[in-house]
Amino acid sequence: QLILDGKVLNKNKKINNLIKWRKSIAHVPQNIFLNDSTIIENIAFGIPKDEINFLKVKESAEKANLNYFIDSLPNGYNTRVGERGTQLSGGQAQRIAIARSFYKEASVLVLDEATSALDNKTERDIMDSINEFKKDLTIIIIAHRLSTVQNCNRIFEFSNGVIINEFNKEEFEKKFNF
């Protein structure tokens, strides 16, 4: 069963509940899929070109600390990224994927090593942006860098797929000297 807030989502094969729930989740993986299209189309991924909200794309790029890079490009948001983002660095591609999650306005955000290709300052800036609105969002972060999860309310440490420790923010900071 899939239970959310005490309600069984897949009861009686109610597919609409599952579809609605899936749409509320944004996943930013370590290995990002990018179309051979423009930055704007990759941020608003899956939205027909004529329905893309440019102001929302721009706001999402700002939250992902991507706007300065985009503004430096001759074609700006209309720059093509190349097949699988070949025209971008790994960090730039990850920031497009993060901006994509902001554009989606999901209520659950899963960051799966989503900042691993970023330098420490860029990662900190993005995590600060995420932390600004985290009260309206459930964020699940999978990371190896301790600094990535330091502001989380609950931290689980895994070893071989098994939870070996659970910390609240204060316990985590004390144990790892943050």
Side-chain angles (χ1 to χ4, degrees):
Q1 287 184 321
L2 181 57
I3 302 171
L4 181 65
D5 294 332
K7 295 178 185 175
V8 179
L9 294 183
N10 56 344
K11 187 177 182 179
N12 301 326
K13 298 185 180 186
K14 289 190 175 181
I15 196 75
N16 289 340
N17 288 340
L18 283 174
I19 291 170
K20 187 177 176 182
W21 179 73
R22 286 179 184 148
K23 286 183 177 182
S24 72
I25 298 172
H27 175 240
V28 181
Q30 183 174 13
N31 298 317
I32 292 101
F33 173 79
L34 295 176
N35 275 336
D36 184 15
S37 59
T38 65
I39 291 173
I40 191 171
E41 291 169 289
N42 274 286
I43 291 174
F45 188 74
I47 306 296
K49 215 175 180 178
D50 60 335
E51 295 177 26
I52 294 173
N53 179 335
F54 179 71
L55 291 177
K56 192 172 164 183
V57 167
K58 194 168 181 170
E59 180 181 291
S60 300
E62 287 172 9
K63 287 179 183 177
N65 199 22
L66 189 62
N67 54 318
Y68 298 111
F69 164 69
I70 295 171
D71 291 341
S72 74
L73 299 169
N75 294 322
Y77 286 86
N78 291 312
T79 301
R80 296 190 72 80
V81 301
E83 185 73 28
R84 297 185 190 170
T86 55
Q87 302 301 313
L88 305 170
S89 71
Q92 292 160 346
Q94 279 187 318
R95 285 183 282 163
I96 286 177
I98 292 167
R100 181 186 292 169
S101 73
F102 293 147
Y103 186 88
K104 187 175 180 183
E105 295 181 333
S107 59
V108 177
L109 176 59
V110 179
L111 301 173
D112 185 358
E113 289 288 349
T115 59
S116 63
L118 304 177
D119 62 81
N120 289 332
K121 184 194 177 317
T122 303
E123 178 193 36
R124 204 171 30 255
D125 291 345
I126 290 171
M127 293 311 296
D128 286 347
S129 180
I130 289 169
N131 287 325
E132 284 180 26
F133 57 89
K134 73 178 180 182
K135 58 187 160 284
D136 301 325
L137 186 63
T138 298
I139 306 169
I140 299 167
I141 302 173
I142 301 159
H144 286 89
R145 274 191 228 166
L146 295 177
S147 61
T148 305
V149 298
Q150 77 183 53
N151 288 314
C152 294
N153 297 331
R154 293 176 68 194
I155 298 116
F156 297 92
E157 183 180 3
F158 286 80
S159 179
N160 297 319
V162 176
I163 296 174
I164 60 170
N165 279 313
E166 178 180 350
F167 306 96
N168 64 32
K169 185 178 182 338
E170 292 77 26
E171 293 166 337
F172 181 81
E173 287 174 346
K174 186 176 180 180
K175 177 168 179 156
F176 296 103
N177 300 316
F178 279 100

